[in-house]
Structures are given as structure tokens and as C-alpha cells.
Amino acid sequence: MSRLDSFIRRLEAQRLMLDWAAAQIAGRPGLVLELGLGNGRTYDHLREILPERDIHVFERDVGPNPASMPPTGRLVVGDMATTLPAFATRHGRCAALVHVDVTTGVPQRDRILFAWLPEHVAALAAPDALILSGWDLEHAALVAVAPPEGVSAGRYFAYRRAG
Ligand SMILES: C[S@@+](CC[C@H](N)C(=O)[O-])C[C@H]1O[C@@H](n2cnc3c(N)ncnc32)[C@H](O)[C@@H]1O
């Protein structure tokens, strides 16, 4: 499969996963955390499908499409290795949904480069919260759940926060 095909499938999987997650968390209180603003595409989708939710976005190099800039107070600027634990200190296990879109595009590299990330995600996820990621997260408190129909195995990952 060409990288173009792979990229298209990744975006299709992202949309399916985000739509599915929005339905899954209906009726559950909690913040939505978007890890990686980038161009702002998935943030824009999240705010469209979850208009009532408080969505906080984490990013080191802020430069999205101007139409997708989060409002003041909802963008946490800095290295997530620092900003995520600081946010957890202030808000505790506050999130109903965490979308991990921090990636180099190479999952094998991400697992090593972002080995510190799953711990911070687990510390922010409320009991039974849903966590989505483009690469597999390894943490004892994150229990893998099957992605929705249409997302092939290994394309995108979903977890529930145990306990
Ligand atoms: C794949 S892009 C996000 C794409 C975005 N969700 C979208 O749909 O347009 C990943 C983003 O994570 C950010 N990032 C990577 N490592 C980071 C870190 N340690 N702290 C904060 N942001 C980081 C990068 O700057 C990049 O913008």
C-alpha cells in the first residue's frame, strides 16, 4: 500500500474512531483532551461532534489552520512531558476522552520516543474513560477495547481506563 493510501486510511480511521468515541462517552461527565493540535483537523472534528464538551488541547509548536485555533484557556502550550503532569496536578483524573495524536508517523518509533506518555494519560483519565491512539499504548491501567467496525486491527487503538 502506498503511503498516500495509508495516510487516507489513517484519516478515515480517525474520523470513525472519534465519532464512535463521542457516542461512547455520551452521558458521562468529563473533559475531552486532545494531545497534539498540529493542523487542528481532529480538534476541529471533536468540537463539531462534541459541542457541549470542554476540550483542552496540548501542543508544543502551535501553528494550526487559523480556523482551528482553540479558545484562550483551552490550549496548553509546551512539552507534554511537563504540561500533562502539571494539568493532572490541577485537575486530577478529569477526562472522559483522551485522543492521543502525538506521532512521528512511525508507530515503532513513537512507542520509544513517547514511552513516558501512557503514564500521564492514565493519570488524567477518569475511571472507565476512553482513550484513542494512533499507536499502541502500554500501561497496566489501560485495557484494550475493540475499535468500531470499519477500523482494521492495528490501524488505530482504543482503551478503557480501568478503575
Ligand atoms: C500528528 S500531529 C497532530 C495532528 C492533529 N491532531 C491534526 O489532526 O491536525 C502531532 C503534533 O504533536 C505535537 N507534539 C509532538 N510531541 C510533542 C510534545 N512532546 N509535546 C507537545 N506537543 C508535541 C507536534 O508538534 C505535532 O503538532
Side-chain angles (χ1 to χ4, degrees):
M1 185 191 310
S2 74
R3 286 184 52 220
L4 177 62
D5 284 333
S6 180
F7 183 63
I8 291 167
R9 288 189 190 188
R10 175 179 154 72
L11 295 184
E12 287 172 343
Q14 273 188 325
R15 185 178 52 192
L16 276 170
M17 294 294 289
L18 295 178
D19 290 348
W20 171 74
Q24 293 281 314
I25 65 166
R28 291 170 186 273
L31 304 180
V32 172
L33 306 182
E34 166 80 334
L35 310 192
L37 174 64
N39 182 278
R41 288 189 194 97
T42 50
Y43 165 64
D44 191 51
H45 194 69
L46 279 169
R47 69 180 176 177
E48 190 172 296
I49 61 177
L50 293 168
E52 309 302 329
R53 289 279 176 174
D54 205 359
I55 305 175
H56 291 253
V57 188
F58 296 76
E59 175 59 59
R60 183 174 52 195
D61 304 316
V62 178
N65 181 304
S68 302
M69 181 64 86
T72 308
R74 294 295 176 271
L75 176 61
V76 184
V77 181
D79 189 331
M80 283 184 232
T82 304
T83 57
L84 290 177
F87 196 86
T89 300
R90 284 202 306 282
H91 299 276
R93 289 179 57 191
C94 55
L97 171 63
V98 184
H99 177 220
V100 180
D101 197 14
V102 183
T103 182
T104 61
V106 183
Q108 301 88 321
R109 200 187 293 166
D110 293 340
R111 259 176 246 125
I112 297 164
L113 199 61
F114 301 114
W116 46 269
L117 191 61
E119 182 71 40
H120 297 323
V121 170
L124 283 161
D128 222 24
L130 200 53
I131 296 105
L132 310 180
S133 176
W135 46 281
D136 50 322
L137 304 178
E138 268 189 38
H139 190 280
L142 303 182
V143 181
V145 296
E149 208 180 311
V151 178
S152 48
R155 173 63 64 184
Y156 229 80
F157 299 85
Y159 303 87
R160 288 252 178 230
R161 173 62 159 102

